[in-house]
């Protein structure tokens, strides 16, 4: 059951590699497997960002565009200040994630032909009350990256509740014949409900695939809110709430003013 609120460009039936982009995921996977076995191997033309894990408040004020930061805990405030630059954020949480804040005032620049994302909370546990704020003048640039997501709360094994993405800066992804391989979520739940999540766009230029306030893969999507009060948006589809398998989509609201 799907609450399809508004179609912006066209209805995307699945996720595809953007036309004209590299499709060497198999080669990258082979490189990871060989590295795990102690065999050094490189994939020509593909760059990788290093991952750094943290559990405390962090501010990035310099160029760290070769680094992905993993927020492994709750109540972490992670800030990219003006002049700061990172490749993305992720997480590796087995339990619930609550109260993380990612604030972008500088730049997020994904590595070329790699998979990069921007998460405030990511893991198996419930994602609750996490947020991403993209400030005026800030840039999230995944144009040369292959695939990923932008999500305040992303749970692979539970619910996503009360997560918020607020955008007043620019987001760039490659948009080809099949649209964009990047999706945006206030809250994403794979095996639980997505409720009371928010996606708000006030200004800036945003180019992504599908946009969701709340998305439930195997649960219900309810009381999610998507608000557009300004900016320029190019997207495949825009959903306040979306449920795929076995759940309802109800009480979701889209406001364009």
């Amino acid at each position: 059951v799907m609450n399809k609120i508004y179609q912006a460009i066209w209805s995307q039936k699945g996720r595809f590699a953007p036309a004209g982009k590299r499709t060497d995921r198999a080669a990258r996977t082979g490189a990871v497997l060989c590295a795990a076995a102690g065999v050094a191997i490189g994939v020509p033309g593909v760059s990788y960002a290093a991952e750094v894990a943290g559990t405390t408040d962090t501010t990035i004020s310099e160029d760290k565009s070769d680094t992905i930061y993993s927020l492994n805990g709750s109540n972490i405030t992670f800030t990219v200040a003006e002049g700061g630059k990172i490749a993305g954020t992720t997480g590796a949480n087995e339990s619930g994630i609550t109260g993380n804040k990612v604030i972008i005032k500088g730049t997020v620049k994904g590595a070329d032909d790699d998979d990069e994302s921007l998460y405030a909370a990511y893991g198996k546990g419930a994602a609750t009350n996490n947020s991403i704020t993209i400030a005026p003048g800030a840039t999230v640039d995944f144009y040369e990256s292959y695939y990923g997501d932008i999500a305040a709360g992303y749970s692979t094994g539970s619910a996503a509740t009360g997560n918020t993405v607020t955008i007043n800066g620019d987001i760039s992804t490659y948009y080809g014949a099949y649209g964009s391989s990047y999706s945006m979520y206030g809250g994403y739940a794979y095996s639980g409900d997505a409720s009371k999540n928010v996606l708000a766009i006030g200004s800036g230029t945003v180019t992504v695939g599908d946009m969701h306030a709340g998305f439930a893969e195997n649960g219900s999507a309810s009381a999610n809110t998507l608000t557009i009060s300004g900016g320029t948006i190019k997207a495949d589809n825009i959903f306040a709430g979306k449920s795929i398998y076995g759940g309802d989509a109800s009480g979701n609201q889209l406001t364009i003013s």
Side-chain angles (χ1 to χ4, degrees):
V1 180
M2 183 184 301
N3 241 10
K4 181 175 177 182
I5 308 299
Y6 177 76
Q7 181 172 344
I9 304 295
W10 58 279
S11 181
Q12 183 180 4
K13 302 301 183 184
R15 291 180 173 180
F16 305 91
K21 298 291 285 179
R22 294 179 60 92
T23 55
D24 50 10
R25 179 187 295 272
R28 291 198 302 276
T29 301
V32 171
L33 292 174
C34 287
V39 179
I41 185 171
V43 181
V46 181
S47 56
Y48 303 91
E51 186 173 309
V52 175
T55 58
T56 59
D57 292 355
T58 301
T59 298
I60 305 300
S61 302
E62 55 190 338
D63 188 345
K64 295 290 186 178
S65 54
D66 58 351
T67 305
I68 299 170
Y69 290 86
S70 184
L71 281 59
N72 294 350
S74 292
N75 299 310
I76 300 169
T77 297
F78 182 88
T79 304
V80 179
E82 293 184 24
K85 193 173 185 180
I86 64 170
T89 59
T90 186
N93 296 283
E94 297 292 325
S95 58
I97 313 104
T98 303
N100 283 353
K101 298 177 182 179
V102 171
I103 303 168
I104 307 299
K105 298 179 181 180
T107 300
V108 179
K109 174 66 172 71
D112 295 357
D113 295 306
D114 202 356
D115 298 346
E116 312 288 19
S117 293
L118 186 66
Y119 299 113
Y122 180 94
K124 292 183 179 180
T128 307
N129 296 336
N130 304 285
S131 66
I132 292 176
T133 301
I134 301 174
T139 299
V140 177
D141 181 3
F142 289 139
Y143 186 86
E144 296 295 340
S145 300
Y146 176 74
Y147 175 88
D149 300 302
I150 299 167
Y154 194 108
S155 174
T156 63
S158 189
T161 307
N163 303 287
T164 301
V165 174
T166 304
I167 301 170
N168 287 292
D170 296 334
I171 297 176
S172 175
T173 67
Y174 182 86
Y175 199 99
Y178 295 106
S180 171
S181 60
Y182 271 82
S183 291
M184 186 186 304
Y185 310 93
Y188 173 101
Y190 179 77
S191 60
D193 296 335
S195 61
K196 299 180 181 179
N197 301 288
V198 175
L199 173 57
I201 301 175
S203 61
T205 299
V206 178
T207 303
V208 293
D210 288 353
M211 296 170 52
H212 317 77
F215 182 102
E217 190 89 21
N218 296 285
S220 297
S222 62
N224 300 288
T225 302
L226 197 155
T227 302
I228 300 172
S229 57
T232 301
I233 300 167
K234 185 175 184 179
D236 299 332
N237 297 282
I238 299 176
F239 304 92
K242 181 177 177 180
S243 174
I244 299 296
Y245 304 112
D248 295 325
S250 61
N252 303 290
Q253 181 175 346
L254 169 69
T255 301
I256 301 176
S257 60

